Amino acid sequence: MDSASEIQVKQQVRQFYDQVGWQEVGEGVYQNARFEDLRPVSREYIHNCHQRVGRHLSLEGKYFLDAGSGPIQYPEYLEYSIGYQARVCADISIVALQEARQRIGDRENGGHGLFVVADVAHLPFADRAFDGVASLHTIHHLPSSEHQQAYLGLFRVLAESRSAVVVNGWESSSISDIFVGPIKWGRRTRKRITRRLGKGSRASAASKNNAVSTFVNKHNAGWLKSEVGTLMNLDILVWRSVGVRFLKAYIHPNFGGKWLLRQLYWLEESFPHYMGEHGLYPLIILKKS
Ligand SMILES: C[S@@+](CC[C@H](N)C(=O)[O-])C[C@H]1O[C@@H](n2cnc3c(N)ncnc32)[C@H](O)[C@@H]1O
């Protein structure tokens, strides 16, 4: 991808989040939350997975960097920086930062947020400026050629003896494929039948018009180890082994959904490295020592 296309990609991503992703569709709920399972049956599992990020971050420090902060959309996110003097929210979307300010406040009104429009692949901060760094679901919006640079930048701004946490989906997951394969097959079959019955064209045209998403580019564990793991000390654990498609298809309140998720969480806690590499969302720890 040449540099003109890379700039275009970023403009498109920014526009998407400004105009669609960070528009509220309900009280405190953004359009982007359609990528999350907000049902009560999944709440405990989702909450526990969010808590995993905090386990690997220093509890206190001066500056905490949230690279690609969005609006700090979930309450658990606020906890990561409670012990810090300031949380620097950096994002290319101005709407994200305006919303983040509403949530965390700035220093003038007793909050501890600082807000910077910045590109995660070109962080405008000094070396070792942050005692804690998190970048959640953001690097995948960069052109592939900038992923390594983004990891190097997060590592560069991290203080000595501290850790950064990156969460980013893999391009594929053997665990998720086992379960999601039948869902995809069912969907394809339904479409084929509807098309044969002549009912499909209008419905699919309507759903295409409503489709809203933006540029995403993901890698696998092999790429991460060879392109980033050779340059810094990193560890791959699990953040969440399954995605929303799995949750919505297999987890139901009346069919032991909560119990099933407790077993899944137990598996993830028991085999964090395996579930991290083969599940859908790894939790990547960059350690500076
Ligand atoms: C999927 S959202 C995740 C937001 C938040 N970290 C979370 O987990 O809820 C991705 C965020 O990254 C931001 N973003 C995308 N590309 C970026 C870039 N090159 N530099 C900084 N932020 C970026 C988007 O504007 C958006 O707010």
Side-chain angles (χ1 to χ4, degrees):
M1 193 183 271
D2 59 30
S3 57
S5 318
E6 286 177 357
I7 292 170
Q8 251 179 356
V9 160
K10 287 189 193 169
Q11 280 171 347
Q12 189 219 332
V13 170
R14 173 194 293 162
Q15 207 174 12
F16 168 77
Y17 278 102
D18 278 349
Q19 296 177 4
V20 182
W22 300 133
Q23 294 301 317
E24 271 189 306
V25 291
E27 216 188 309
V29 178
Y30 299 97
Q31 185 273 356
N32 195 62
R34 74 198 172 91
F35 296 111
E36 190 50 285
D37 180 4
L38 302 175
R39 298 171 306 152
V41 65
S42 305
R43 196 169 290 153
E44 178 185 271
Y45 172 70
I46 302 277
H47 169 78
N48 289 339
C49 295
H50 281 310
Q51 298 288 89
R52 286 184 170 134
V53 172
R55 280 187 207 165
H56 305 280
L57 295 166
S58 297
L59 287 177
E60 47 192 44
K62 193 167 182 192
Y63 294 117
F64 178 88
L65 174 64
D66 188 348
S69 65
I72 319 182
Q73 57 176 332
Y74 303 115
E76 293 89 345
Y77 284 10
L78 287 167
E79 292 172 20
Y80 308 149
S81 62
I82 278 177
Y84 287 75
Q85 284 178 33
R87 179 186 190 124
V88 177
C89 299
D91 203 291
I92 50 165
S93 155
I94 188 78
V95 175
L97 296 174
Q98 285 163 345
E99 293 293 316
R101 175 177 272 147
Q102 304 260 351
R103 299 230 159 178
I104 198 172
D106 53 29
R107 300 179 94 180
E108 279 159 31
N109 60 28
H112 73 294
L114 293 169
F115 309 92
V116 182
V117 176
D119 180 352
V120 74
H122 302 271
L123 291 173
F125 305 116
D127 296 358
R128 297 179 288 280
F130 295 94
D131 293 315
V133 173
S135 181
L136 312 175
H137 312 283
T138 295
I139 291 182
H140 64 216
H141 287 313
L142 292 170
S144 182
S145 54
E146 290 192 334
H147 285 214
Q148 186 194 54
Q149 190 178 325
Y151 281 97
L152 286 171
L154 295 172
F155 194 67
R156 178 182 65 78
V157 301
L158 184 65
E160 294 297 332
S161 316
R162 302 288 177 140
S163 299
V165 171
V166 178
V167 174
N168 224 20
W170 296 132
E171 62 183 2
S172 64
S173 144
S174 49
I175 294 176
S176 176
D177 285 352
I178 299 170
F179 298 100
V180 174
I183 307 174
K184 283 188 185 160
W185 179 84
R187 201 170 288 164
R188 270 199 305 270
T189 311
R190 216 176 313 134
K191 265 193 196 157
R192 230 174 282 139
I193 293 171
T194 334
R195 223 178 293 132
R196 271 206 202 130
L197 294 174
K199 294 177 184 168
S201 50
R202 261 224 222 129
S204 64
S207 73
K208 263 187 200 150
N209 288 340
N210 290 334
V212 271
S213 59
T214 188
F215 176 87
V216 167
N217 191 304
K218 296 179 178 179
H219 290 291
N220 55 33
W223 178 91
L224 188 74
K225 286 181 195 170
S226 67
E227 299 299 315
V228 183
T230 48
L231 304 175
M232 64 186 78
N233 185 1
L234 67 74
D235 203 6
I236 304 173
L237 302 179
V238 63
W239 178 67
R240 211 167 85 188
S241 59
V242 296
V244 168
R245 210 186 274 174
F246 169 93
L247 292 169
K248 292 197 174 159
Y250 291 103
I251 300 300
H252 294 283
N254 301 332
F255 296 100
K258 214 171 177 178
W259 180 86
L260 274 174
L261 286 179
R262 283 189 181 152
Q263 310 317 305
L264 178 63
Y265 184 75
W266 175 84
L267 262 180
E268 292 171 348
E269 290 291 292
S270 307
F271 307 99
H273 288 99
Y274 182 87
M275 299 298 272
E277 284 197 28
H278 299 276
L280 204 53
Y281 297 101
L283 184 149
I284 300 152
I285 308 165
L286 314 180
K287 293 181 197 159
K288 210 169 200 179
S289 52

